[in-house]
Amino acid sequence: MATEKIETVLFMLDEAPTFTWPVKVAVPVNGKYLNAEFTAEFLNMMGDELDALTASNPETGAPRKTDREVADQVLVGWGPDLKGADGAALPFTPENKARLLGNQRARMAVVGTFLAAARGMAAEKN
């Protein structure tokens, strides 16, 4: 079994304002789920900004922001691998973003992927 080499880069305290990451969306097909994938561009949040995004109400324990609000805030673009029904690349527009985030499976995949990548958990899985 071949092992994948992990690339090492110099850590920089002042990181880029955004980063790209593959998002896998589970799509039901014929009684099973298949992974559909596209490349998302996310805000590069850290520290207090990330904590505020995921904070819960101290009285109820409920999240202060809905998954839709989190996804809308952190998703700032996507690559040409996100396609429309005609197979053409879907441009990143407010309307197309709203359509994507209107799909619950896609929205949950966006939020989950962002949180795992932003917290460094995605690196642990590789």
Side-chain angles (χ1 to χ4, degrees):
M1 178 163 105
T3 58
E4 190 175 320
K5 184 176 179 182
I6 298 174
E7 185 177 342
T8 303
V9 296
L10 180 64
F11 178 75
M12 297 173 57
L13 193 54
D14 296 323
E15 296 182 31
T18 64
F19 68 93
T20 58
W21 205 268
V23 175
K24 293 180 180 158
V25 181
V27 178
V29 177
N30 296 326
K32 61 183 175 181
Y33 285 100
L34 300 178
N35 280 326
E37 186 174 310
F38 70 95
T39 304
E41 182 179 1
F42 294 112
L43 285 178
N44 197 5
M45 293 182 165
M46 292 176 275
D48 293 340
E49 192 176 27
L50 184 58
D51 291 343
L53 181 73
T54 59
S56 297
N57 182 321
E59 294 177 12
T60 65
R64 291 186 189 263
K65 293 189 178 216
T66 67
D67 289 330
R68 176 77 180 241
E69 291 169 325
V70 171
D72 191 48
Q73 185 174 346
V74 302
L75 182 66
V76 296
W78 57 61
D81 52 349
L82 184 58
K83 309 285 186 191
D86 61 359
L90 197 62
F92 185 80
T93 65
E95 296 81 18
N96 287 336
K97 181 179 178 181
R99 284 180 54 211
L100 177 74
L101 298 182
N103 178 300
Q104 182 179 2
R105 286 186 297 275
R107 181 174 61 248
M108 298 303 290
V110 165
V111 171
T113 300
F114 168 77
L115 292 175
R119 291 177 173 155
M121 295 166 54
E124 295 172 5
K125 292 180 182 179
N126 291 337

